[in-house]
Amino acid sequence: MTWPPSGAWLLALLLPAAVAGVDLARRRRLARLGAALGLPGLERAERPRSALVVAATLLGVLSVLAPRQGEPSSPAATAGGLRGGGAGAEGGVPDLVLVADVSLSMAAGDVRPDRWSAARRAALRLALGREDRRVGLVAFAAYAYVLVPPTRDLGLVALHLDGLDPGAVTAQGSDLAAGLEAALEVLASGDAAGDGGAVVLLSDGEGFQEDAALAAALERAVSGGVVVHAVSVGTEEGAGVPGAEFQGGVTRARLDVLRRIAAGTGGSVVDAADGAGLAALADGGGGAAAPGASRGPGRPSPWPPLFALLALAALLAEDAVGRLAARAAR
């Protein structure tokens, strides 16, 4: 919410100042008239009315100068919104690349029926959420694989998602940095190269990548105007991995890692079970490319109508005071 510059304030405040000056001259004439008639202090009864008139004028000016828009109102503003820099190959909505974690930990059943099923439902909702967006798909475990470059054939993306499951990638492990790098490479080399885009990482956040590799991927995203969001699955209490001994038999979701990844590029984290959050994320479309970029209009600001209401109240009060003074003079 942005208020006008100081220059606009200075010019606008000249109006209530002029009203105050005219009223002061009027009361001085009343004072001279009262002195001539032997009625000293005649102008004092006018002071409350004068103050109310000046206050109404000032509040009217404030109702005009106050910003018309407040903070962004969409859940995407808090939940992030599917923001991304630039536009797709044909303009409009930025390209989106889904990065799906298909490591063995995604088979854990701490969410029903399992982490991957929840992640796949969320991925389908994001992929099919808007027909005007090109969507790509990357799957990763120890290594990352580009399954579908950004395309408007959303049915193809859905088909590949339906065929994925934990263990689909033969080299097991979990390298979040590799998944992100593959997505960034797709965005950088595609038809919309240089136009930014958005990445959504669908994962439990558990990974064995080097911190330096993950930091490098996030730095590359920021420099390329790409926003990385995350869809989290799993719980911090964790669960066992079917048929695998994993960290003592339990895999735990790392929400802290997902939050750090999203925050590093100005993205957001949405739980896979949060239908409203996913809908807002899918519908967010374009927007700011990185932290500090401009954001779209938000909900209406309450200030203009509030100032206008107060100005009206001041005028009504001035009229009431005038009526009371007239009755007292009878």
Side-chain angles (χ1 to χ4, degrees):
M1 185 165 60
T2 304
W3 292 77
S6 57
W9 282 103
L10 182 61
L11 291 174
L13 290 178
L14 288 177
L15 178 59
V19 171
V22 170
D23 188 75
L24 179 60
R26 182 180 66 86
R27 285 191 288 115
R28 284 178 176 174
R29 288 196 300 271
L30 277 175
R32 290 194 295 270
L33 178 61
L37 296 175
L39 298 172
L42 184 62
E43 81 286 357
R44 293 175 187 170
E46 294 293 309
R47 288 178 182 175
R49 296 182 64 188
S50 300
L52 288 170
V53 169
V54 173
T57 305
L58 177 59
L59 289 167
V61 169
L62 290 175
S63 71
V64 174
L65 289 181
R68 267 24 203 184
Q69 297 291 340
E71 297 302 322
S73 58
S74 168
T78 302
L82 193 48
R83 300 182 291 121
E90 299 174 14
V93 183
D95 286 348
L96 165 67
V97 177
L98 301 173
V99 180
D101 184 347
V102 290
S103 61
L104 289 177
S105 66
M106 294 292 284
D110 49 352
V111 293
R112 298 299 179 190
D114 54 59
R115 293 179 183 177
W116 170 245
S117 296
R120 175 163 49 200
R121 285 196 299 268
L124 286 169
R125 187 162 188 171
L126 294 173
L128 304 178
R130 290 186 62 155
E131 295 182 355
D132 57 346
R133 174 186 291 124
R134 302 196 321 164
V135 179
L137 177 63
V138 170
F140 76 94
Y143 301 103
Y145 303 88
V146 178
L147 301 182
V148 183
T151 177
R152 295 193 185 277
D153 186 354
L154 303 183
L156 179 63
V157 178
L159 183 65
H160 277 78
L161 280 169
D162 190 58
L164 282 175
D165 55 61
V169 175
T170 54
Q172 277 302 311
S174 188
D175 193 328
L176 300 173
L180 293 177
E181 286 286 0
L184 294 172
E185 188 64 33
V186 167
L187 290 173
S189 60
D191 294 336
D195 286 334
V199 171
V200 175
L201 173 65
L202 301 109
S203 174
D204 53 21
E206 200 165 45
F208 304 102
Q209 66 284 328
E210 296 290 336
D211 287 343
L214 186 56
L218 296 179
E219 183 177 351
R220 179 180 178 183
V222 171
S223 64
V226 177
V227 180
V228 179
H229 306 276
V231 172
S232 63
V233 289
T235 64
E236 293 176 314
E237 292 76 18
V241 178
E245 291 297 327
F246 193 82
Q247 291 187 353
V250 176
T251 170
R252 293 179 172 83
R254 294 292 306 277
L255 299 182
D256 58 321
V257 174
L258 296 178
R259 293 188 186 107
R260 178 159 55 93
I261 290 173
T265 63
S268 59
V269 179
V270 176
D271 190 277
D274 181 1
L278 289 172
L281 198 62
D283 193 50
S294 61
R295 292 194 281 185
R299 59 177 178 268
S301 169
W303 294 112
L306 176 61
F307 287 136
L309 184 62
L310 291 174
L312 177 61
L315 289 175
L316 292 175
E318 185 274 336
D319 181 68
V321 169
R323 291 175 182 272
L324 290 174
R327 288 179 183 177
R330 290 175 184 173

